[in-house]
Amino acid sequence: MTKTRSWRPFGARDPHEPHRVSTPLELLFDLVIVIAVASAAEGLHHAVAAGHAAMGVTTFAMTFFATWWAWMNFTWFASAYDSDGPVYRLITCVIMAGALAVAAGVPRVFAGGSLTLVIVGYIVMRVAMVAFWLIAARSDPRHRATAVSYAVGIAVTQLYWTLALLVLRPAGFGAVAGLFVLGALMEMAVPVIAEARGKTPWHHHHVAERHGLFVIIVLGEVLLSSAAAFTYADAPGGHPAELIVLALSALAITFAMWWLYFSQEGPLDQARFSSSFNWSYAHALIYAGGAATGAGFAVAIDNAAGQGHHAPMLASNIAVAAPLAVYMVALWFVRDRLVLTGPWRHGLLAFAAAVIVAGHIGHWALPAMALITILAVVARSQVQCRQS
């Protein structure tokens, strides 16, 4: 395909285009997403440390969903319709502005304040996607019904969020969570309904690469915790030996999580309608598990460094174990249960269970989790070698 720099509306790209990779604009978009993910992870970290784990996890789920869903929808649209022209770039910049508004509003949400900025930023991102789909409907007659379905579905859900914003002002936390779940289900139903009218021409390699890059984004949260532990180890008032162990554990877990994900590409099937949705939607748990693992390590590091609130040891250990287990289970669902055979097909489930058990063994919990994830990498590599 020949890229255009004109103001003319853009059409569909070739789903079999060779050498299709992420564009500089998509990488800039990822940089904005890094900020939003970091904001949500930091909020979870402080909520768990302060003893408000249940509310923190719920708030993290809501704010992380807003970030992931906007990224995911943009990624699939870009795979099919990215023209890299001025119109496309300007609308993408609007989406990025909305993402920054969401990131800016996240700390206030975790503090029990207003949801206004997060919802307004989210609506900005989604309304920009309506504009994208309307342009696609005009430019791509073959997929016009699909594009119109996307535009209408997204517009209706934004009307819901606008009305919900009025209800949320006086509502309690339970009502807020309920309204969020309903809105999230509505959002996730839109692509299913739209794609049933005709599959958009997304690019297999491009979509797989983009999802892999998001994994690297969330693993950055664990690396940040490792760096913080090394920093505090050289500061007065902490426990240097414990902090170094935590730093090395976080580093080992980061490498192992990366290795597990990139050891083999998952079965993203362009021909099967349900396959691509299961693959992409389940990645939300991979991403959330990665980001939350970093937040959990931050809680443990605060305890060792004598910084901020001090969560009980079991709570800080489980704050790492639970999301790490979620990461493994989600990776099993996305890939291993489909590509492996024999008893090792469910190996990641066993390692996830071992991680949860390790969370209950006190001071050695985090090094034990690091060892378990390393063993998972070794086992996964051996299985792959035998089956290749």
Side-chain angles (χ1 to χ4, degrees):
M1 170 185 170
T2 302
K3 294 185 178 181
T4 177
R5 294 289 194 271
S6 72
W7 292 91
R8 185 181 56 185
F10 41 84
R13 295 187 66 152
D14 179 4
H16 305 292
E17 177 183 346
H19 311 300
R20 180 76 189 276
V21 295
S22 298
T23 66
L25 182 60
E26 287 176 311
L27 297 178
L28 180 62
F29 187 91
D30 287 352
L31 185 60
V32 175
I33 295 301
V34 167
I35 298 171
V37 169
S39 186
E42 183 179 6
L44 177 61
H45 156 210
H46 292 301
V48 173
H52 307 301
M55 183 173 291
V57 169
T58 304
T59 306
F60 172 79
M62 292 190 292
T63 54
F64 192 87
F65 174 86
T67 301
W68 162 73
W69 187 247
W71 176 91
M72 197 270 286
N73 278 255
F74 170 77
T75 292
W76 285 85
F77 180 88
S79 187
Y81 293 106
D82 180 0
S83 68
D84 200 29
V87 173
Y88 180 87
R89 291 182 175 188
L90 287 173
I91 296 175
T92 301
C93 287
V94 172
I95 297 176
M96 288 190 283
L100 285 174
V102 169
V106 166
R108 185 176 297 179
V109 178
F110 274 98
S114 172
L115 284 160
T116 302
L117 187 55
V118 169
I119 294 180
V120 168
Y122 180 78
I123 291 173
V124 168
M125 291 190 288
R126 302 299 283 147
V127 169
M129 286 304 305
V130 173
F132 264 150
W133 284 113
L134 289 176
I135 295 173
R138 179 182 177 185
S139 308
D140 183 14
R142 181 181 176 186
H143 301 96
R144 181 166 295 160
T146 301
V148 170
S149 296
Y150 268 111
V152 172
I154 295 172
V156 169
T157 55
Q158 299 330 293
L159 178 61
Y160 169 84
W161 290 119
T162 302
L163 296 174
L165 182 59
L166 301 177
V167 176
L168 290 176
R169 292 180 182 274
F173 188 76
V176 170
L179 289 169
F180 161 76
V181 170
L182 177 58
L185 291 174
M186 291 173 60
E187 290 277 12
M188 295 175 72
V190 171
V192 177
I193 294 171
E195 294 285 335
R197 305 197 66 181
K199 185 171 67 67
T200 50
W202 52 274
H203 192 285
H204 180 282
H205 173 77
H206 178 251
V207 166
E209 181 196 44
R210 298 293 296 137
H211 281 69
L213 289 175
F214 202 120
V215 171
I216 293 174
I217 288 174
V218 299
L219 292 183
E221 294 302 315
V222 193
L223 286 177
L224 282 175
S225 294
S226 179
F230 279 123
T231 300
Y232 286 135
D234 194 36
H239 300 84
E242 183 179 353
L243 285 164
I244 290 174
V245 169
L246 286 176
L248 294 175
S249 298
L251 200 59
I253 286 176
T254 303
F255 292 156
M257 293 170 79
W258 173 86
W259 201 312
L260 284 172
Y261 183 87
F262 290 100
S263 62
Q264 185 175 0
E265 187 174 301
L268 176 56
D269 190 349
Q270 285 183 294
R272 294 178 55 200
F273 179 73
S274 61
S275 174
S276 57
F277 281 104
N278 290 338
W279 185 87
S280 188
Y281 282 17
H283 266 75
L285 295 177
I286 294 176
Y287 303 146
T293 299
F297 262 107
V299 174
I301 291 164
D302 279 353
N303 287 353
Q307 301 289 324
H309 297 282
H310 285 217
M313 179 174 293
L314 178 60
S316 65
N317 289 343
I318 294 300
V320 177
L324 179 55
V326 167
Y327 181 93
M328 290 181 174
V329 171
L331 188 52
W332 165 83
F333 180 83
V334 165
R335 186 192 62 198
D336 281 14
R337 70 184 179 92
L338 302 172
V339 302
L340 297 181
T341 58
W344 280 106
R345 178 185 180 191
H346 305 299
L348 274 181
L349 295 182
F351 285 110
V355 164
I356 295 297
V357 172
H360 294 77
I361 63 175
H363 287 284
W364 292 101
L366 299 182
M369 292 180 212
L371 178 60
I372 290 168
T373 54
I374 292 171
L375 291 175
V377 169
V378 173
R380 184 64 175 73
S381 300
Q382 292 300 314
V383 173
Q384 187 175 351
C385 287
R386 286 198 295 269
Q387 296 193 358
S388 61

